[in-house]
Amino acid sequence: MHRRELLRLMGVMALAGLPTGLWAMQHRADDGLSEGHRLITIGGGLTETVFALGAGDRIVGTDSTSTYPVAAEALPRVGYQHTLTIESLLALRPHALIHDGSAGPEGTLTRAREAGVRILTVPGEPSLEGFRARVRTLGQWLDATETARRVIDDVDQDLARARDLQAGFPRPPAVVALMAHGQGNAVAAGQDTKADALIRLAGGRNVFTDFAGYRPVSREGVMAKRPDALVITGAAAADFGGMLGRVPQYVGDTLFLLGFGPRLGEAVLTVTRFLGGDSRTRRDARFTDIPSA
């Protein structure tokens, strides 16, 4: 770290009321997080999980993706999860920042760590097992292991109900998951994404398996896959609205569908009912028109 940057950082720390020694004692994750520790949580699903574990009152700041529960919306924001700044973090005088690998840039995390802030990373795999590992890890750190077990059990009960419904599917429905990406653009979910995991947990078949992550997709490209249904986040619905010929769509909140937090079971059960043709869910779904290829 250059001297000028070091002096600037020390000034920020002093204004925030933090120790100005960059050589403050470092802590291991397994030291635990006491009730007096001030936490910053990064990632909507992770923030939601901390609230579900009964530790929401320890959170002093979070990122812009943390919009649930209602109490999370009232918390100070430190920006978008990938573009955090050291000033926004240290101004809240946190003891620890918790994320699932999505926080950045790395330089900001390094400077926060040097300032004595504990940077704790929970498993971030986009899967059911990743969800369970995150909840168990947070439960251990927050001294809430029994509550963590109940959160996982509640999700498992919803997943069991979803599997019972899926047993009646004649075949796995072909599904496209679409998300917004910038103004006027949409991307489809491929492999190794939470959207892909959601589709499979809901009894569907993701038609975009020839790539990993998310890729831009055209309306024609979507229709070429002949999907039985679309699962779309609200912001992406406008991009494809009026152009996708009578294909059933479930348009939902991004955090609800892809947060992979305590509402994961509810999200899977809802999408399962939609894919199975549940009359109430289909009545709430949207249908759009596009010229057939």
Side-chain angles (χ1 to χ4, degrees):
M1 181 179 292
H2 295 296
R3 184 173 183 275
R4 181 178 298 177
E5 183 180 4
L6 173 61
L7 293 174
R8 182 181 66 84
L9 178 57
M10 292 177 68
V12 171
M13 292 164 62
L15 289 174
L18 292 171
T20 55
L22 294 181
W23 23 125
M25 180 181 297
Q26 297 298 305
H27 302 275
R28 298 176 304 168
D30 56 10
D31 286 339
L33 294 167
S34 73
E35 292 187 10
H37 281 165
R38 297 166 60 86
L39 308 178
I40 291 177
T41 55
I42 304 299
L46 189 153
T47 298
E48 187 177 339
T49 302
V50 173
F51 271 94
L53 293 176
D57 59 345
R58 306 187 205 177
I59 303 176
V60 296
T62 187
D63 73 308
S64 60
T65 70
S66 299
T67 57
Y68 187 90
V70 173
E73 292 191 289
L75 291 169
R77 301 294 182 185
V78 295
Y80 183 59
Q81 56 186 344
H82 302 312
T83 55
L84 306 175
T85 64
I86 188 64
E87 292 83 1
S88 67
L89 299 179
L90 296 187
L92 298 175
R93 297 167 36 239
H95 294 92
L97 179 148
I98 309 176
H99 70 119
D100 63 0
S102 62
E106 185 58 38
T108 295
L109 300 183
T110 297
R111 289 191 289 273
R113 189 179 294 108
E114 291 170 342
V117 179
R118 298 166 63 184
I119 307 298
L120 306 181
T121 307
V122 299
E125 290 78 9
S127 65
L128 176 59
E129 284 309 312
F131 156 75
R132 290 173 175 152
R134 282 189 292 279
V135 175
R136 292 190 187 106
T137 300
L138 288 169
Q140 291 172 356
W141 291 350
L142 298 168
D143 193 23
T145 54
E146 182 60 25
T147 305
R149 185 189 62 78
R150 289 196 297 269
V151 168
I152 293 173
D153 286 348
D154 287 345
V155 168
D156 285 343
Q157 289 174 19
D158 280 337
L159 294 179
R161 286 191 283 269
R163 286 192 294 271
D164 288 342
L165 294 174
Q166 293 162 22
F169 288 7
R171 59 176 176 81
V175 183
V176 173
L178 296 170
M179 295 181 61
H181 182 69
Q183 188 173 4
N185 297 305
V187 292
Q191 299 183 69
D192 300 325
T193 61
K194 289 180 178 177
D196 177 70
L198 176 73
I199 290 171
R200 289 185 283 105
L201 288 171
R205 175 178 61 85
N206 185 6
V207 301
F208 285 107
T209 57
D210 54 336
F211 61 87
Y214 293 89
R215 286 188 181 177
V217 64
S218 67
R219 299 174 180 89
E220 294 76 15
V222 170
M223 290 308 293
K225 295 291 188 177
R226 305 181 67 85
D228 298 309
L230 309 175
V231 175
I232 309 180
T233 61
D239 297 336
F240 280 76
M243 294 295 290
L244 285 179
R246 299 301 294 175
V247 178
Q249 298 182 24
Y250 179 81
V251 180
D253 175 71
T254 303
L255 182 55
F256 173 67
L257 291 174
L258 304 180
F260 271 57
R263 294 181 293 166
L264 172 60
E266 182 183 351
V268 170
L269 187 56
T270 298
V271 176
T272 296
R273 287 169 174 158
F274 166 70
L275 295 179
D278 177 83
S279 59
R280 181 177 57 184
T281 309
R282 282 295 173 101
R283 187 168 60 248
D284 293 338
R286 302 183 184 182
F287 294 82
T288 53
D289 298 313
I290 122 176
S292 54

